[in-house]
Amino acid sequence: MGIDLKAGGRRTGHKTSSVAVKSANPYNRLLIKLYKFLARRTDSKFCSTVAKRLHMSKLNQPPIGLNRLARYMTNKDDKTAVIVGKVTDDVRMMECPKMSVCALAFTETARKRILAAGGECITFDQLALRAPKGTNTVLLRGPKSRSALAHFGHRTTVTNPHTHDGVKPYVRSKGRKFEKARGRRSSRGFKI
């Protein structure tokens, strides 16, 4: 039958990150091992979700700000917020409420503010000891529609003509002279 070369043949040699861990971070690899084990042995939906999210790329682990976190955690004093990602500080928030947070990382100021409010910042291995099945936890995610995403292009392939379509360039200014000529307007050669 042969290979359909137009279509590029079979997609071989590409294992998903859930088959082969792509992260080089040893702590992350250990956490994946731990939560895969817990998901298998406890049949807990929480553990399998956390394991799945630990496998995700950094783009799919968006950070969450303290203000949004505090909003999600109102009237949930006895619960622990769980974020597979980073917790960042929000300077617009005047005072941080007391809360228990488990995350992959915290910015220095976010950690300071949580601890100053009498809350706690714990890691995933501490959470596994405390709540192996995820009891009394709230699993949260940050917003995926960040302004930074406008600068990222499509996945690049040899045959994909849309690699740079609608991708916002990092420019000094938004004026007429800045990346607005050839390649950006049909009247100036071509437009993509």
Side-chain angles (χ1 to χ4, degrees), residues 7-135:
R10 278 167 59 235
R11 193 165 180 271
T12 56
H14 295 82
K15 284 193 163 68
T16 63
S17 77
S18 53
V19 175
V21 184
K22 289 184 178 177
S23 169
N25 184 344
Y27 300 109
N28 209 8
R29 292 178 88 95
L30 285 169
L31 282 182
I32 287 171
K33 239 180 201 172
L34 169 66
Y35 274 92
K36 263 171 90 171
F37 171 80
L38 284 173
R40 193 175 71 244
R41 294 296 292 269
T42 60
D43 289 328
S44 150
K45 200 91 181 288
F46 171 82
C47 291
S48 55
T49 307
V50 169
K52 186 177 73 184
R53 289 187 190 176
L54 283 168
H55 275 293
M56 289 180 181
S57 63
K58 201 167 178 195
L59 188 66
N60 293 319
Q61 292 177 350
I64 190 168
L66 265 187
N67 194 24
R68 190 180 291 263
L69 185 58
R71 232 184 15 244
Y72 284 142
M73 294 304 287
T74 45
N75 307 326
K76 296 190 178 101
D77 304 328
D78 55 334
K79 292 186 187 280
T80 305
V82 179
I83 299 101
V84 183
K86 194 171 197 167
V87 174
T88 56
D89 186 23
D90 197 333
V91 288
R92 295 166 297 185
M93 191 168 71
M94 290 303 165
E95 51 196 54
C96 179
K98 180 186 176 183
M99 53 189 169
S100 173
V101 188
C102 168
L104 283 179
F106 296 87
T107 60
E108 208 177 312
T109 43
R111 187 188 291 275
K112 261 188 200 152
R113 287 186 75 173
I114 292 168
L115 294 174
E120 56 173 355
C121 303
I122 63 170
T123 56
F124 275 94
D125 49 332
Q126 289 170 312
L127 181 75
L129 290 170
R130 194 182 294 188
K133 284 187 175 181
T135 44

Side-chain angles (χ1 to χ4, degrees), residues 58-59 61-63 143-150 152:
K58 201 167 178 195
L59 188 66
Q61 292 177 350
K144 272 189 82 173
S145 56
R146 295 180 297 146
S147 56
L149 298 184
F152 302 160

